[in-house]
Amino acid sequence: MREELKAALSRRAFLAAGSAAIAIPVLPVRAFAGDAKEAAVLQALVDKGALPPLKDRLPENPLVITPVDRVGAHGGDWSHALVGGGSLSMLVRYQGYEPLLRYTPDWSGVTLNVAEDFQASPDAREFTVRLRKGMKWSDGHPFTTEDIRFWYEDILLNKEVAFIGQDHWKSGGKPARLEVVDVQTFKVIFDRPSGLFPLQIAWANSDQTCKAPKHYLQQFHIKHNPKANELAKSRGFESWIPLFQFEAGFASDNDYFQNSKRPTLTAWKLTVAPGESTERAIAERNPYYWKVDTAGQQLPYFDRIVYQMVADPQVLLLKVLQGEIDMMDQYIATPGNKAVLFDGQEKGGYGFYTLTSTEANEMVFMLNLNHPDEVKRALFLNKDFRAALSMALDRQALIDTVFIGQGAPAQASIEKGDPLYVERLATQYTAYDPDGANAALDKILPDKDGDGYRLDSQGRRVSIIFEIDQSRTTFLDIFQLAIPMFQAVGIDVQMKPMDRSLWETRVRQGREFDGTAHKFGGNSGIPAVLDPRYFLPYTTESFYGKGWQLWYRDRTNPDAIEPPEVTKKQFDLYDQLKATADPARQNELMRQILELCADAFYTFGVTLPADSYGVVRNAMVNVTKTMPNSFGWPTPGPTRPEQYFKA
């Protein structure tokens, strides 16, 4: 009874089709609401009459969190950092992960979170969710099914608002039906089985139902405020639609975390949002947070998270070495930094934690297969051209130099030993073969200029500019070595590093780029099924096929591009996979998708990742020593940062 949820279900149990309903047992109601203890800064506000007593702020059944090592103490700052102008997805990892269900710390399944109870029908078509009675937003307003109804009717189904990324609420192209039972309970009803639904709502920041406070957002929505257009124009927006999109923040992580006024359910609430200050962002404890520890103390332990705005990874490295950062892995945990960090740990007062690999590759080269330039598009779509570029890479040299010899040549793929492993997908075109690359390119681009660079069908030098987030220093190191390899076979490859915020605009949101590089994606099990970004272009993260993913989501979108037949087959198979609750059938369908990916050969990579590391201050307590490394998980969110503290 003193543990958070011993009965968290495994993936197989959650997805199993059978005679019994899928359900997560409910913890017995605890007596903490009346006897709970709170932080001194909040008690001071209560004493002044500026805040209600804690018993009136907690739900009747707060979620009980068992600390990893020991019960902590309230107070202090968690010192953190944001690198570059566009790394706000980091906030999802550290303070923004509060969906209805969250992943278990070992990523074996999901467990209750915002939802007090979650049950599914035997055919995985109907899901019943019960919210916590008395739960409140960070401003004290009740959180109820009216917030869920508002999100569903006025955001999800509203074509004017037009947010994307909620495909897990659809089956057969149609949105699930929402049935509000009472103030705490609602049902999600699909036309077809939706066996992945519980896993999908736990994915990183996918669950928008817990992020749409009706009492705040309705003032910006024309349905609820006839003067919303006037309000928008007074704020400098053309109409209520872009203002509402900004205030809701669902278009991107950057939009969501640039608003310090929107109420939240998270442990900390931004009081100085990124962009409101050039030096730091600050998140202060949520006085209405709905979790307690096993001693009855309201969480979180830290009073604040303070994010320093850091220009680049080199500045971040210096700050870590000087002991200014309490915990970090993104942008710093490179093979090249490890020796420096190891030598500096005594002076800096920090140690390490292990990140187990869940990523499909250390770096994936992606050409824009939907390029607006017809000649480039035709060239990039030529599988033999992509294969030639892949064969031009001396991967072992890259691995030896950049990854200190850790790794083996591989494409973006599934790790060996996993039931989904496809050898052809992992190994094709990975052998260093400049002669073979030249022979293939001689057939495609036989003409060259005076400098030995190949010419396209219009007589132009074939130049490919890869636009790269300069914060990813490993990518920069790889490109420095790879560019001469590409040029040696007559392709004028160039690298254009840029600030993360510009990369977000140019690549993640744009379409007029030649190519880019990225990592993440899944390499086994749950991650591969839920994030197959390199295996089929189903998501905005599939930068090689942005028009194709739009076609998959909405064929009426003016920017949608009809994909080739092999991709259409993959989309059909993925729809079948999402519709079944049978894990054996899911694996069978995923294998077919991966085989077709090997046929299509969309991208090419360098090596599957080895386990990585993170840096954590010695004073930090309750930080899990080993955790998966994935944005989808999202590291370290499922380890419950609300129970971190400094001794």
Side-chain angles (χ1 to χ4, degrees):
M1 185 170 172
R2 293 177 62 85
E3 296 186 6
E4 178 188 3
L5 274 177
K6 287 184 177 178
L9 298 182
S10 69
R11 176 173 181 266
R12 177 171 291 273
F14 220 127
L15 302 182
S19 58
I22 303 169
I24 299 180
V26 186
L27 278 178
V29 175
R30 300 293 294 265
F32 285 144
D35 301 327
K37 309 171 188 69
E38 64 185 320
V41 293
L42 298 183
Q43 182 62 57
L45 293 174
V46 173
D47 294 342
K48 292 178 182 179
L51 194 67
L54 181 57
K55 64 181 179 61
D56 296 331
R57 304 199 312 267
L58 287 174
E60 287 189 4
N61 186 24
L63 181 58
V64 182
I65 298 297
T66 301
V68 169
D69 295 319
R70 65 180 189 268
V71 168
H74 292 126
D77 290 349
W78 180 2
S79 298
H80 223 299
L82 294 173
V83 181
S87 61
L88 303 192
S89 62
M90 294 300 101
L91 276 72
V92 176
R93 296 173 179 264
Y94 294 99
Q95 72 175 73
Y97 184 59
E98 297 289 5
L100 291 168
L101 303 175
R102 64 164 47 193
Y103 292 124
T104 54
D106 63 357
W107 211 349
S108 62
V110 294
T111 186
L112 294 171
N113 194 50
V114 169
E116 184 180 66
D117 186 34
F118 190 102
Q119 298 187 32
S121 62
D123 61 359
R125 291 178 59 189
E126 182 173 307
F127 299 87
T128 303
V129 184
R130 186 171 75 241
L131 305 178
R132 298 175 188 279
K133 188 175 182 179
M135 188 167 165
K136 297 176 176 64
W137 294 97
S138 56
D139 61 356
H141 196 279
F143 169 61
T144 71
T145 50
E146 281 306 301
D147 296 295
I148 309 297
R149 189 200 305 272
F150 172 77
W151 172 81
Y152 179 81
E153 294 180 354
D154 299 328
I155 298 179
L156 179 68
L157 300 186
N158 189 301
K159 292 185 178 180
E160 289 184 294
V161 174
F163 289 116
I164 61 174
Q166 295 296 291
D167 285 354
H168 56 282
W169 268 78
K170 298 177 182 177
S171 64
K174 295 174 56 180
R177 179 165 56 90
L178 174 70
E179 179 183 314
V180 174
V181 178
D182 55 39
V183 71
Q184 287 178 254
T185 310
F186 67 92
K187 293 183 178 182
V188 183
I189 304 168
F190 293 90
D191 287 343
R192 303 177 183 178
S194 187
L196 294 180
F197 184 65
L199 293 172
Q200 289 170 321
I201 59 176
W203 184 266
N205 58 345
S206 290
D207 185 14
Q208 295 178 356
T209 63
C210 302
K211 296 182 177 182
K214 177 182 177 179
H215 69 286
Y216 175 78
L217 291 177
Q218 64 183 355
Q219 65 183 304
F220 309 110
H221 201 295
I222 197 71
K223 173 181 171 181
H224 299 275
N225 179 10
K227 296 184 178 181
N229 276 319
E230 297 174 29
L231 175 61
K233 289 176 182 177
S234 72
R235 294 270 302 274
F237 292 87
E238 292 184 0
S239 71
W240 73 272
I241 297 172
L243 174 59
F244 183 84
Q245 290 176 327
F246 169 77
E247 289 289 347
F250 292 146
S252 72
D253 296 332
N254 282 12
D255 289 347
Y256 187 81
F257 289 109
Q258 286 182 328
N259 187 342
S260 60
K261 297 181 177 62
R262 185 194 317 105
T264 182
L265 298 177
T266 57
W268 298 272
K269 173 180 168 51
L270 285 165
T271 52
V272 180
E276 296 177 357
S277 167
T278 58
E279 296 183 359
R280 61 180 55 85
I282 299 174
E284 297 183 0
R285 64 167 59 253
N286 172 3
Y288 293 89
Y289 195 54
W290 37 278
K291 298 181 187 178
V292 297
D293 66 15
T294 48
Q297 297 185 105
Q298 185 191 29
L299 296 171
Y301 290 135
F302 280 121
D303 286 335
R304 306 191 308 172
I305 306 179
V306 179
Y307 300 94
Q308 301 179 57
M309 309 303 286
V310 177
D312 58 58
Q314 287 304 310
V315 176
L316 174 64
L317 177 61
L318 290 174
K319 287 183 175 295
V320 171
L321 291 170
Q322 292 166 3
E324 296 180 31
I325 305 297
D326 288 327
M327 183 178 180
M328 199 76 183
D329 51 69
Q330 290 293 305
Y331 301 105
I332 192 171
T334 66
N337 281 347
K338 191 165 188 179
V340 176
L341 289 167
F342 184 84
D343 291 342
Q345 60 184 320
E346 183 175 352
K347 181 179 179 181
Y350 58 80
F352 297 90
Y353 56 93
T354 299
L355 297 174
T356 57
S357 168
T358 63
E359 300 158 347
N361 209 268
E362 279 286 5
M363 184 176 116
V364 181
F365 293 85
M366 287 176 277
L367 297 175
N368 183 358
L369 306 185
N370 299 155
H371 202 294
D373 183 294
E374 292 185 11
V375 175
K376 283 193 171 184
R377 181 170 67 249
L379 180 61
F380 295 170
L381 281 170
N382 188 324
K383 176 183 174 181
D384 292 337
F385 177 73
R386 302 194 298 276
L389 292 182
S390 180
M391 291 187 293
L393 284 176
D394 185 348
R395 288 174 173 79
Q396 194 58 54
L398 300 178
I399 292 166
D400 290 343
T401 304
V402 178
F403 300 108
I404 323 298
Q406 297 184 41
Q411 305 291 11
S413 55
I414 306 298
E415 66 179 1
K416 197 169 186 178
D418 189 87
L420 296 175
Y421 177 72
V422 175
E423 183 175 5
R424 180 167 62 104
L425 176 64
T427 62
Q428 65 181 345
Y429 311 121
T430 56
Y432 178 45
D433 185 6
D435 292 338
N438 268 312
L441 291 171
D442 285 343
K443 295 178 182 178
I444 303 168
L445 302 165
D447 298 329
K448 298 181 180 179
D449 63 16
D451 295 321
Y453 289 109
R454 298 181 184 275
L455 304 176
D456 65 18
S457 60
Q458 302 297 309
R460 304 176 300 184
R461 176 183 288 188
V462 177
S463 295
I464 304 175
I465 300 174
F466 283 87
E467 301 189 16
I468 305 298
D469 170 11
Q470 65 186 12
S471 300
R472 303 285 180 189
T473 55
T474 299
F475 296 178
L476 307 186
D477 293 341
I478 290 175
F479 261 102
Q480 292 291 349
L481 299 171
I483 286 173
M485 300 175 189
F486 293 131
Q487 293 177 343
V489 295
I491 304 300
D492 181 22
V493 167
Q494 302 172 31
M495 173 180 61
K496 186 177 181 180
M498 58 188 64
D499 181 81
R500 173 65 179 260
S501 59
L502 179 58
W503 181 85
E504 291 277 345
T505 301
R506 289 278 308 157
V507 177
R508 193 182 296 279
Q509 300 173 23
R511 301 184 65 179
E512 297 186 2
F513 61 93
D514 293 346
T516 189
H518 210 42
K519 57 186 300 184
F520 308 116
N523 67 12
S524 62
I526 293 175
V529 171
L530 295 186
D531 190 7
R533 63 179 71 179
Y534 305 123
F535 308 139
L536 76 159
Y538 86 109
T539 172
T540 54
E541 301 292 334
S542 304
F543 303 133
Y544 57 91
K546 295 170 73 70
W548 294 342
Q549 67 88 17
L550 285 174
W551 184 90
Y552 175 56
R553 295 172 183 274
D554 179 10
R555 298 180 190 182
T556 66
N557 189 304
D559 293 324
I561 296 174
E562 184 174 357
E565 288 303 314
V566 64
T567 308
K568 290 180 181 178
K569 290 179 182 177
Q570 288 185 301
F571 287 156
D572 179 63
L573 290 167
Y574 198 57
D575 284 342
Q576 293 180 49
L577 186 154
K578 291 188 294 184
T580 181
D582 178 4
R585 178 62 175 158
Q586 288 175 351
N587 279 348
E588 177 186 339
L589 291 166
M590 194 65 200
R591 280 294 298 259
Q592 294 180 46
I593 290 170
L594 294 168
E595 291 285 358
L596 289 171
C597 177
D599 293 340
F601 192 64
Y602 298 120
T603 69
F604 53 100
V606 177
T607 177
L608 280 170
D611 286 349
S612 186
Y613 65 94
V615 176
V616 59
R617 292 274 294 169
N618 296 333
M620 288 281 282
V621 183
N622 290 337
V623 176
T624 306
K625 301 300 185 292
T626 300
M627 62 186 82
N629 187 20
S630 171
F631 175 70
W633 187 55
T635 313
T639 68
R640 301 158 302 186
E642 60 270 17
Q643 50 95 51
Y644 295 171
F645 73 100
K646 281 192 282 192

